[in-house]
Amino acid sequence: MPVTYDLDGQKRVYATWAKFYDRIYQRMLARPQREAVAAACACGPDILEIGVGTGLTLPYFDPASRVVGADLSLDMLRVAQRKVTAQNLAHVRGLTVMDACRLGFSSERFDAVTAQFVITLVPQPEQALAEMDRVLKPGGEIVISSRLVDDGGLLAPFWAAVAPLAKAVGWSSDFKVSRLTNWASATGRYETVHVGRGYFKVVRLRKLASLAS
Ligand SMILES: C[S@@+](CC[C@H](N)C(=O)[O-])C[C@H]1O[C@@H](n2cnc3c(N)ncnc32)[C@H](O)[C@@H]1O
């Protein structure tokens, strides 16, 4: 997946990827995407998907859900909109251009926020997480799926070593699970309820319900 750390560069990259993204990634990402969507749907109907891209995940949501998709790339969103129309995905209530680090939604608006194969592309992931936290209701979950590396896993040194090479060909190989779980612990408001296994992982961070006013 492309990794560029300037937003205009990111938009240019995805203007190109929009044309053939689904053909390459639809089958490859389906398992973690379905798992993440199921976890998000279990939290309640109002769900924000950040970095929704071409909307590969959108058909996986519960028809009773109310999903809003946000993405930096208008070109990717155009493909998503075509999917919504062609498949009559009535649960998709909106698709909007937005930066993960500056979400234009009111606080505590969503039951779940999911970000799939995007957190490793964001220059300041903690800032994106802080925004996800802001728009999430207490008791809800941030559900992330991505290529994530286990800390201390046997292959961790290997993935760190090949990170520059991976970046050169447009991939992220060394984003650690702990970057997410450390953020969750540091807030004092989240518990890590799930860390998946394998090459692509789903991580679920639950906002403590006792904070509800
Ligand atoms: C690898 S694609 C993943 C698309 C989709 N989530 C999926 O699982 O198929 C990454 C998407 O994240 C978007 N993206 C990258 N940086 C972003 C940011 N800062 N804010 C919002 N979206 C961003 C890109 O435009 C692209 O559509």
Side-chain angles (χ1 to χ4, degrees):
M1 249 146 270
V3 180
T4 67
Y5 287 150
D6 72 288
L7 297 187
D8 287 336
Q10 192 85 256
K11 285 183 204 167
R12 279 195 300 277
V13 164
Y14 278 100
T16 305
W17 273 85
K19 299 179 188 78
F20 48 88
Y21 183 89
D22 285 12
R23 264 175 283 157
I24 294 177
Y25 287 115
Q26 184 159 20
R27 289 183 61 176
M28 192 191 303
L29 305 184
R31 193 238 357 125
Q33 287 175 333
R34 283 182 183 277
E35 183 186 335
V37 165
C41 288
C43 296
D46 287 305
I47 300 168
L48 172 63
E49 172 145 0
I50 294 171
V52 66
T54 63
L56 275 183
T57 60
L58 294 176
Y60 305 152
F61 283 88
D62 186 332
S65 59
R66 296 184 288 262
V67 180
V68 176
D71 199 284
L72 206 54
S73 165
L74 181 59
D75 297 276
M76 294 289 271
L77 286 178
R78 284 195 175 113
V79 180
Q81 182 57 58
R82 284 202 291 276
K83 215 170 260 129
V84 168
T85 304
Q87 298 182 35
N88 194 22
L89 302 175
H91 57 278
V92 180
R93 300 303 172 94
L95 295 171
T96 181
V97 175
M98 210 173 274
D99 176 7
C101 294
R102 286 176 211 83
L103 297 178
F105 300 107
S106 55
S107 299
E108 300 187 4
R109 156 94 167 68
F110 296 101
D111 297 304
V113 180
T114 181
Q116 307 214 31
F117 300 91
V118 59
I119 197 73
T120 62
L121 308 176
V122 177
Q124 297 117 349
E126 286 79 10
Q127 194 179 328
L129 288 163
E131 274 294 83
M132 295 183 211
D133 170 38
R134 183 182 64 74
V135 301
L136 182 65
K137 294 178 190 170
E141 288 187 15
I142 296 173
V143 184
I144 293 189
S145 66
S146 248
R147 164 71 190 127
L148 299 168
V149 180
D150 288 314
D151 295 77
L154 285 178
L155 291 176
F158 168 76
W159 291 120
V162 300
L165 184 63
K167 193 170 173 184
V169 295
W171 284 76
S172 161
S173 75
D174 65 342
F175 194 104
K176 293 195 170 53
V177 170
S178 62
R179 188 120 185 220
L180 303 175
T181 55
N182 287 347
W183 173 86
S185 315
T187 64
R189 299 188 304 279
Y190 279 80
E191 56 178 345
T192 299
V193 290
H194 176 78
V195 176
R197 301 168 70 114
Y199 190 78
F200 298 133
K201 294 182 177 56
V202 175
V203 173
R204 291 170 41 209
L205 310 173
R206 185 175 299 148
K207 188 170 185 173
L208 300 178
S210 57
L211 297 174
S213 50

